[in-house]
Amino acid sequence: MLTPVLRDRLRLPLIAAPMTAVSGPELVIAACRGGVIGSFPAHNARTTEELDAWLTRIAAALDTDGAPVAPNLVVHRSNPRLADDVACLARHRVPLVITSVGSPAAVLGPLRDAGCLVFADVASMRHVDRALALGVDGLVLLTAGAGGQTGWHNPLAFLRAVRRRYDGPLVLAGGIADGAALLAAQVAGADLAYMGTKFIATEESMAGAEYRAALVAATLDDITQTSGPTGLPANLLAGKVDPDAGAGQSTGFRFDVIAGATEVWAAGHSVCGVDAVLGVAELIERTHREYSAAAEAMTRNHIY
């Protein structure tokens, strides 16, 4: 169950997913104004000083009625900015921080002291157990089909497995292509869901015109999974990155690689729902209509 600070400020149970080289202040502001949580990787800002400027700009653009902002923090030991970025987020007292690629143990204290909720990105039951043992405030379930860094479990199976042992906030990441899929995730037990790929193809994203056009033209068959670019399994647009790049190497994840991965075109299975480049407000409005229509169909057909 979501806390009031999150639930009461949302029009849809949705997070505009944090995406490297894609999510910036314009996208976040537009998402929050539309009533969905706006998220972005802290490393999209080139320095901690720029991160501070972004958060100041976002706060100034949003009034108290806007949806919350949720910066994403890579907590891997190779992140040289981690301590400085944590201090920056704590100073701004952001309502929610989403951690990924590692244990949030080192950042829980300072963020909690500043009043921030901390959700942890997890991709396996082992990750779930470790995060819950630390006492995180919620989990983001990274599942098969997520764009960019991806999981391997079926979304519904993973969601149900986690829900059997945890009654706190759950976010489903992977395969949310429209409002009907969003409602399905909620019915299955998620409190929120990520939508990422469709937000790449918006006017406010930092993606280039060629990248956006490629998403509109793509189908499910154009998504390939590779560990080449970052050392972690990732879903990308086929043809943009050689899926065999890095094969046989075991260098593992490095923060400098993901932070500099501006030429990688990430996309998830939800690319099947991308049919045009839209403004964020229009995308949210369309998703709300789809969500409402699916809810009405459930009621009409006595599906509860």
Side-chain angles (χ1 to χ4, degrees):
M1 180 178 295
L2 296 178
T3 62
V5 70
L6 298 180
R7 183 189 63 239
D8 295 349
R9 296 166 62 184
L10 297 180
R11 187 180 183 208
L12 283 169
L14 188 64
I15 298 175
M19 297 172 285
T20 294
V22 169
S23 309
E26 289 82 4
L27 195 159
V28 170
I29 290 167
C32 293
R33 284 177 174 166
V36 307
I37 294 172
S39 186
F40 68 97
H43 61 259
N44 276 2
R46 291 164 296 182
T47 64
T48 301
E49 291 73 23
E50 185 172 48
L51 173 62
D52 180 77
W54 279 20
L55 291 169
T56 299
R57 177 181 170 190
I58 291 167
L62 297 174
D63 57 33
T64 55
D65 295 327
V69 176
N72 165 234
L73 194 61
V74 171
V75 293
H76 192 267
R77 61 184 178 277
S78 64
N79 182 355
R81 291 173 42 179
L82 183 57
D84 289 341
D85 283 358
V86 168
C88 180
L89 298 179
R91 283 196 307 274
H92 283 269
R93 297 185 177 275
V94 295
L96 173 62
V97 174
I98 300 168
T99 66
S100 61
V101 198
S103 169
V107 306
L108 273 172
L111 291 174
R112 284 267 184 73
D113 289 346
C116 306
L117 297 172
V118 179
F119 285 12
D121 198 332
V122 294
S124 69
M125 297 306 295
R126 179 170 55 90
H127 294 157
V128 169
D129 291 340
R130 290 178 176 179
L132 294 181
L134 291 172
V136 296
D137 300 298
L139 301 172
V140 178
L141 308 185
L142 190 62
T143 72
Q149 183 192 344
T150 191
W152 44 90
H153 292 319
N154 172 276
L156 294 180
F158 194 19
L159 178 56
R160 296 311 302 159
V162 176
R163 188 50 89 194
R164 278 195 288 271
R165 67 175 66 178
Y166 178 60
D167 61 1
L170 292 181
V171 183
L172 184 64
I176 305 301
D178 55 26
L182 175 60
L183 181 63
Q186 199 173 24
V187 170
D191 298 285
L192 297 164
Y194 271 9
M195 181 179 281
T197 302
K198 293 186 78 168
F199 278 99
I200 302 174
T202 60
E203 295 164 356
E204 293 88 348
S205 87
M206 297 193 299
E210 186 181 358
Y211 185 1
R212 299 179 204 180
L215 291 174
V216 174
T219 72
L220 272 171
D221 291 348
D222 294 309
I223 304 302
T224 187
Q225 186 179 124
T226 174
S227 296
T230 66
L232 296 173
N235 281 324
L236 310 172
L237 279 176
K240 180 60 180 176
V241 175
D242 179 359
D244 296 322
Q249 299 180 14
S250 58
T251 56
F253 175 85
R254 293 204 335 261
F255 175 81
D256 61 327
V257 174
I258 194 170
T262 57
E263 297 303 316
V264 174
W265 287 3
H269 293 178
S270 58
V271 75
C272 63
V274 180
D275 56 15
V277 175
L278 306 173
V280 166
E282 185 177 357
L283 172 57
I284 293 172
E285 184 60 37
R286 176 186 289 190
T287 305
H288 187 271
R289 290 196 302 269
E290 295 163 346
Y291 179 89
S292 299
E296 290 172 6
M298 286 180 60
T299 301
R300 187 167 57 249
N301 293 309
H302 304 288
I303 301 172
Y304 302 101

